[in-house]
Amino acid sequence: MGRPESLSSESRVAILLHGGLLGEHGKTGLGLLRYGSFPVVAVIDREQAGGSLAHLTGIAKDIPIVASVEEALAHRPEILVIGIAPSGGQLPPEWREELCQALQAGLSLVNGLHTPLAEDAQLRQWLQPGAWIWDIRREPPNLSVGKALARTLPCKRVLTVGTDMSVGKMSTSLELHRASLRRGLRSRFLATGQTGILISGDGIPLDAVRVDYASGAVEQLVLRYGFDHDILHIEGQGSLLNPASTATLPLLRGSQPTHLILVHRAGQTHIKGMDYVPIPPLRKVIELYEQVARAAGAFAPVPVVGVALNTFGWEEEAALAQIRQVEVETGRPCTDVVRFGADPLLDAILSTG
């Protein structure tokens, strides 16, 4: 599922991110700021307007933070990206007026929410000639059920799995992909969510795919690239531990991974928003993922070869202590791939299997 041809690496982008720079739902905007190839000319967050992006987020880019779409227009954006990913993926009603302002000004719109906007009559009336609305979360055509065909591929297939949602699986896969390219490997990042698709230009919005075809959609994506690459880094979604998640099992079955990387947020002890669901000890979570991946011998054994620990918000000394503790607990290499690099995890992948 590719992006519009007119959305290129030269496109000037503004990101609509009210409350997202420091809030819970800014995953799409922050991911684009950290990994996207587009020149971002403005971030729109009324709560942090005038602040420093680098100071607030640690992303070392000099991009102005403004309070409104109207202010962002002074920076001559061509495209407005909706940068939040709230629970349920619905458009906040109070944002509609700003979307209309952007379309009236001739901007195109990138929408990663579940709320479809391309056929919205109120918005389309303001769409200017040559502009477009891209709803990323649309089920790809011509899907079929999964058949475990990815296990015939000659490449390594690395899937990130999590102790919860939104713990850093996409960032881990992207950092592993970058590390693989630096070593001369024919590597590909396979996006399975709206942010990854926007960054890479291709992929599947897995949470928009009907459950019967979910593993088949993953399989189709992996087969598309598996014969031409040495290693595929498959973006994980959800968690086997989270009651709201349905995406992890189709990823395991569709990608037929050769390696798993467990992603965990340092210090998190329960599923977010569900303090009645504890996160078991990491060694137990590793056992769970390895057992489910193998399915009692129906599929090949798949090792969890390392742990990516999200230490955002921790001082460096404390973060390093957390990493050492996880290594002792799990017997596997551990690092924060954003702060300290992904090489220890890539070493473990390349030395296993």
Side-chain angles (χ1 to χ4, degrees), residues 6 14 29 41 94 96 103 110 158 160 169 176 183 227 233 265 267-268 290 315 330-331 338-339:
S6 56
V41 298
E94 64 273 17
R96 293 187 69 87
L103 295 174
V110 174
V158 184
T160 47
K169 294 180 288 292
L176 282 166
R183 298 202 193 182
F227 289 103
H233 293 288
R265 187 183 302 279
Q268 185 175 346
E290 291 183 341
E315 296 293 335
T330 65
V338 173
R339 296 177 76 168

Side-chain angles (χ1 to χ4, degrees), residues 43-353:
V43 175
I44 305 163
D45 186 340
R46 64 174 70 93
E47 296 181 11
Q48 306 300 332
S52 163
L53 182 69
H55 176 73
L56 291 168
T57 67
I59 299 172
K61 294 182 178 179
D62 185 18
I63 299 171
I65 304 172
V66 300
S68 66
V69 165
E70 185 176 2
E71 291 183 32
L73 294 177
H75 300 279
R76 298 181 295 108
E78 301 167 289
I79 294 162
L80 181 69
V81 174
I82 298 176
I84 61 163
S87 179
Q90 301 301 308
L91 176 70
E94 64 273 17
W95 287 27
R96 293 187 69 87
E97 183 177 346
E98 290 200 279
L99 298 186
C100 290
Q101 289 176 350
L103 295 174
Q104 284 178 280
L107 274 65
S108 294
L109 178 63
V110 174
N111 170 37
L113 302 175
H114 278 303
T115 306
L117 299 179
E119 304 305 322
D120 186 300
Q122 181 189 15
L123 297 178
R124 287 195 65 82
Q125 69 175 324
W126 301 117
L127 197 61
Q128 302 299 307
W132 41 261
I133 299 174
W134 178 26
D135 290 325
I136 301 177
R137 275 172 156 157
R138 302 185 91 168
E139 184 180 83
N142 304 318
L143 296 178
S144 61
V145 298
K147 298 179 181 179
L149 297 178
R151 62 182 173 178
T152 64
L153 292 168
C155 62
K156 295 182 185 295
R157 300 176 298 283
V158 184
L159 174 65
T160 47
V161 294
T163 54
D164 198 1
M165 298 179 179
S166 299
V167 292
K169 294 180 288 292
M170 182 193 74
S171 295
T172 299
S173 293
L174 281 165
E175 292 291 348
L176 282 166
H177 168 57
R178 286 179 167 185
S180 298
L181 291 176
R182 286 194 296 269
R183 298 202 193 182
L185 295 169
R186 295 180 302 160
S187 177
R188 179 84 190 191
F189 165 74
L190 299 187
T192 60
Q194 73 276 8
T195 309
I197 293 170
L198 180 57
I199 291 168
S200 67
D202 191 20
I204 53 168
L206 190 57
D207 59 4
V209 176
R210 287 167 290 175
V211 67
D212 283 356
Y213 298 118
S215 66
V218 174
E219 181 176 280
Q220 188 178 93
L221 179 65
V222 172
L223 290 174
R224 189 186 311 160
Y225 293 105
F227 289 103
D228 299 323
H229 292 82
D230 301 315
I231 187 166
L232 302 179
H233 293 288
I234 303 147
E235 176 191 6
Q237 297 289 336
S239 170
L240 290 178
L241 307 180
N242 192 309
S245 173
T246 59
T248 306
L249 189 58
L251 278 162
L252 285 164
R253 295 295 175 254
S255 69
Q256 294 289 300
T258 57
H259 303 77
L260 300 175
I261 296 291
L262 179 66
V263 186
H264 177 61
R265 187 183 302 279
Q268 185 175 346
T269 59
H270 292 74
I271 298 299
K272 191 171 185 178
M274 303 179 194
D275 58 6
Y276 48 88
V277 182
I279 295 175
L282 294 186
R283 63 182 182 278
K284 293 291 186 182
V285 179
I286 287 171
E287 290 175 9
L288 169 68
Y289 274 111
E290 291 183 341
Q291 289 171 0
V292 172
R294 187 169 184 265
F299 306 106
V302 184
V304 174
V305 297
V307 180
L309 192 66
N310 182 342
T311 64
F312 180 77
W314 292 69
E315 296 293 335
E316 183 167 322
E317 185 176 343
L320 291 170
Q322 287 285 313
I323 287 169
R324 289 191 293 269
Q325 180 179 325
V326 168
E327 288 185 327
V328 170
E329 178 186 348
T330 65
R332 288 161 174 81
C334 175
T335 187
D336 183 321
V337 297
V338 173
R339 296 177 76 168
F340 307 122
D343 286 296
L345 302 184
L346 184 57
D347 288 340
I349 292 164
L350 297 179
S351 65
T352 306

